[in-house]
Amino acid sequence: MDLQPIHPGIWLVPGAGGGRFPFSHSILVDSDVVCLIDAGCGLAALEQVQELATPDLILASHAHPDHISGCWMFEEVPIHAPIMSAASFGDLDALAKRFAPPHLERTFKSFIQGSMGFESCSATETFDAGSSFDLGRTRLIAIHTPGHTEDHMCFFDTATGTLMAGDMDLLSFGPWYGDRESDIGQLRDSLHSLMDLEPRLVVTSHEGIVRSSIQERFERYLEVITMRHGAISELVRHERSLAELVELSPIYGGHNHLAPALTRYWEGQMIEKHLELLVLEGRVQRTRRGYVARGAGA
Ligand SMILES: [Zn+2]
């Protein structure tokens, strides 16, 4: 495993599969206190972390399984979870109830166990917006950034201007908001609040280290939401059901990878959130069969 230096004593732990879902990159802060941020980089990478140092604590950005799948490997290490996750954090059944519809709970559980090596774990501590973590040479502030999930937290190191942005991941795919609790408006606000910090360096869970053109990268990332909004409003110029829209796949561009049933569900959630906004904006109306743009022929 090649740790990538972020700053002296702060390392990116590259996730399996390039850090793409169902894995994510972790960050190792090897300061007076050793802190591992997220534990979804894959079990082999986590074994190598264990050989380097035993963390004094694990900080979780949010409760998505691809960020906490390997927490169980660190017995005795305190796990700090966002306070909003407390009811479901690390619990296989509770996470399935939170993140999957009833008919896909079993699929969700077998997917995260099989693909990520997920096993249940327990948070020993919780933290809230504005909590600070004094790690010695490094001090991190938790920034609540809901929208992706309700509990999503970023961490900011004010001394170096380094933002650990979690799943505000700056991938060209664009932001992900496929859970019931996800919210496009909150996500936009969260992204703007991160831009306002004017970070000098960003580390994200799936893209890794971003050292340049940071404001532009955030703007492009936000622009994907706008482009999806336009594409979905175009698709309902003809009346379409949600199931038909999911098969057209304007967000994922197909479901032939990983867990197709789950990907279809996430795509449907994301499309529906756009349609709800389009209805509120008066551009689209609901019909018995689905949705159609106002003034368009069915
Ligand atoms: Zn996530």
Side-chain angles (χ1 to χ4, degrees), residues 194-263:
L194 296 178
M195 291 173 77
D196 289 344
L197 294 171
E198 300 187 354
R200 295 201 285 279
L201 190 151
V202 179
V203 188
T204 88
S205 295
H206 298 290
E207 180 79 330
I209 304 170
V210 179
R211 296 183 188 274
S212 60
S213 308
I214 286 169
Q215 295 293 319
E216 291 88 335
R217 292 290 299 270
F218 273 106
E219 279 164 15
R220 257 189 280 157
Y221 194 63
L222 277 157
E223 183 63 24
V224 176
I225 302 176
T226 307
M227 285 164 47
R228 289 171 180 162
H229 208 58
I232 291 164
S233 72
E234 278 296 310
L235 287 177
V236 292
R237 285 166 66 90
H238 300 283
E239 183 187 25
R240 294 192 202 269
S241 67
L242 182 62
E244 287 167 346
L245 290 165
V246 167
E247 290 315 306
L248 290 167
S249 195
I251 291 173
Y252 276 88
H255 310 111
N256 300 321
H257 49 89
L258 290 171
L262 289 169
T263 317

Side-chain angles (χ1 to χ4, degrees), residues 62 64 66-67 148-149 152 167 176 206:
H62 61 305
H64 267 161
D66 58 320
H67 295 254
H148 174 77
T149 54
H152 191 274
D167 271 350
W176 190 95
H206 298 290

Side-chain angles (χ1 to χ4, degrees), residues 15-70:
R20 296 297 197 262
F21 184 81
F23 300 101
S24 62
H25 301 305
S26 293
I27 297 170
L28 185 66
V29 182
D30 190 1
S31 190
D32 300 340
V33 176
V34 178
C35 171
L36 182 67
I37 299 172
D38 282 349
C41 51
L43 305 188
L46 290 171
E47 275 173 15
Q48 289 175 302
V49 167
Q50 286 175 320
E51 285 167 18
L52 287 172
T54 302
D56 296 299
L57 74 157
I58 294 174
L59 266 183
S61 62
H62 61 305
H64 267 161
D66 58 320
H67 295 254
I68 62 170
S69 52

